[in-house]
């Protein structure tokens, strides 16, 4: 099973071979990494925001702010993070930016906990549903320390083998795309130079 979490993707799927992925669920709006970047911008932390929020979250109290966990309890493998982003924006509109380093760390910790809980819950549910015993994590958000710790605990709790790349392999999307292209070329698959990029590709209907 694969959990892909990045600024452009958040999905859970089953790897059938080197290039075929059976999709179980994906985000219905913002990707997890996209939510990190947008929240970081709201907080004035700069871009990219994932690493900064992760560092601040390590010093904060995740129970400080009550934030939503979207899609929880529904019969779906999908994710949603736009409501969480909106909840942070509403807190800032009501209370303003945190006035202390501690307050900022608490808000970052609360946000990160909300993201991580949803991701890990989906993984554990999918492991139980499919009976698969291995989970591979990929994408830029795989570098997040909170997610990595939570997945290690989940792997022990739910008895699956966890594979997480070393940090230096979590960031170079160009290398990942090149490898995917190489695998497809090896299968005899190719396109001519008329192939166009589609920024808003629609998920196929189940």
């Amino acid at each position: 099973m694969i959990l892909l979490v990045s600024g452009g993707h958040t999905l859970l799927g089953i790897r059938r071979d080197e290039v075929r992925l059976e999709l179980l669920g994906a985000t219905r709006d913002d990707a997890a990494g996209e939510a990190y970047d947008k929240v970081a911008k709201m907080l004035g932390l700069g871009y990219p925001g994932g690493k900064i929020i992760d560092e601040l979250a390590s010093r904060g109290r995740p129970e400080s702010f009550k934030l939503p966990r979207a899609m929880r309890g529904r019969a779906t493998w999908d994710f949603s993070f736009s409501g969480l982003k909106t909840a942070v924006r509403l807190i800032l509109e009501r209370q303003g930016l945190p006035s202390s380093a501690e307050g900022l760390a608490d808000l970052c910790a609360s946000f990160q906990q909300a993201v991580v809980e949803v991701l890990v819950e989906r993984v554990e549910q999918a492991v139980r549903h499919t009976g698969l015993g291995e989970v591979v994590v990929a994408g830029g958000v795989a570098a997040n320390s909170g997610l990595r710790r939570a997945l290690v605990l989940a792997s022990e709790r739910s008895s699956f083998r966890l594979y997480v790349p070393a940090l230096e392999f979590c960031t170079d999307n160009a290398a990942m795309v090149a490898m995917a292209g190489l695998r497809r070329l090896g299968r005899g698959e190719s396109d001519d130079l008329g192939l166009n990029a589609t920024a808003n590709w629609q998920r196929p209907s189940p």
Side-chain angles (χ1 to χ4, degrees):
M1 185 181 306
I2 295 174
L3 173 68
L4 172 60
V5 272
S6 69
H9 302 88
T10 299
L11 63 84
L12 193 61
I14 300 173
R15 177 184 180 272
R16 293 304 183 190
D17 59 32
E18 288 185 335
V19 298
R20 288 192 306 128
L21 181 73
E22 178 185 330
L23 186 66
L24 294 176
T27 183
R28 296 188 178 184
D29 38 62
D30 293 348
E34 181 183 2
Y36 267 92
D37 289 335
K38 289 179 177 178
V39 167
K41 184 177 180 180
M42 293 179 204
L43 296 174
L45 298 176
Y47 177 89
K51 187 174 187 294
I52 304 170
I53 289 179
D54 188 24
E55 291 172 352
L56 289 169
S58 68
R59 303 195 291 271
R61 299 169 296 176
E63 71 281 0
S64 299
F65 292 87
K66 186 176 181 180
L67 293 171
R69 275 69 165 162
M71 314 294 289
R72 177 176 272 177
R74 297 190 188 181
T76 179
W77 304 113
D78 286 347
F79 304 87
S80 173
F81 296 104
S82 65
L84 173 59
K85 174 194 65 183
T86 300
V88 173
R89 178 176 57 79
L90 292 175
I91 288 173
L92 296 177
E93 288 177 357
R94 291 194 301 264
Q95 303 180 19
L97 286 169
S99 58
S100 66
E102 291 80 6
L104 181 59
D106 288 345
L107 183 52
C108 287
S110 299
F111 167 77
Q112 177 154 296
Q113 183 72 9
V115 174
V116 168
E117 278 188 11
V118 169
L119 293 172
V120 173
E121 280 184 11
R122 281 287 184 272
V123 168
E124 289 193 273
Q125 289 167 358
V127 166
R128 289 193 296 270
H129 177 77
T130 63
L132 295 173
E134 297 183 339
V135 175
V136 177
V137 186
V141 183
N144 182 276
S145 65
L147 177 60
R148 292 167 84 97
R149 284 193 301 271
L151 283 169
V152 168
L153 292 175
S155 70
E156 296 169 352
R157 184 168 58 240
S158 296
S159 301
F160 61 82
R161 184 172 296 178
L162 177 67
Y163 297 91
V164 185
L167 292 176
E168 59 264 32
F169 300 124
C170 292
T171 57
D172 191 353
N173 192 53
M176 289 185 275
V177 170
M179 178 57 73
L182 180 63
R183 298 299 190 194
R184 289 187 179 278
L185 190 62
R187 291 165 60 100
E189 301 175 14
S190 64
D191 290 283
D192 60 32
L193 296 178
L195 180 67
N196 195 18
T198 305
N200 297 307
W201 194 274
Q202 297 298 311
R203 288 176 58 190
S205 299

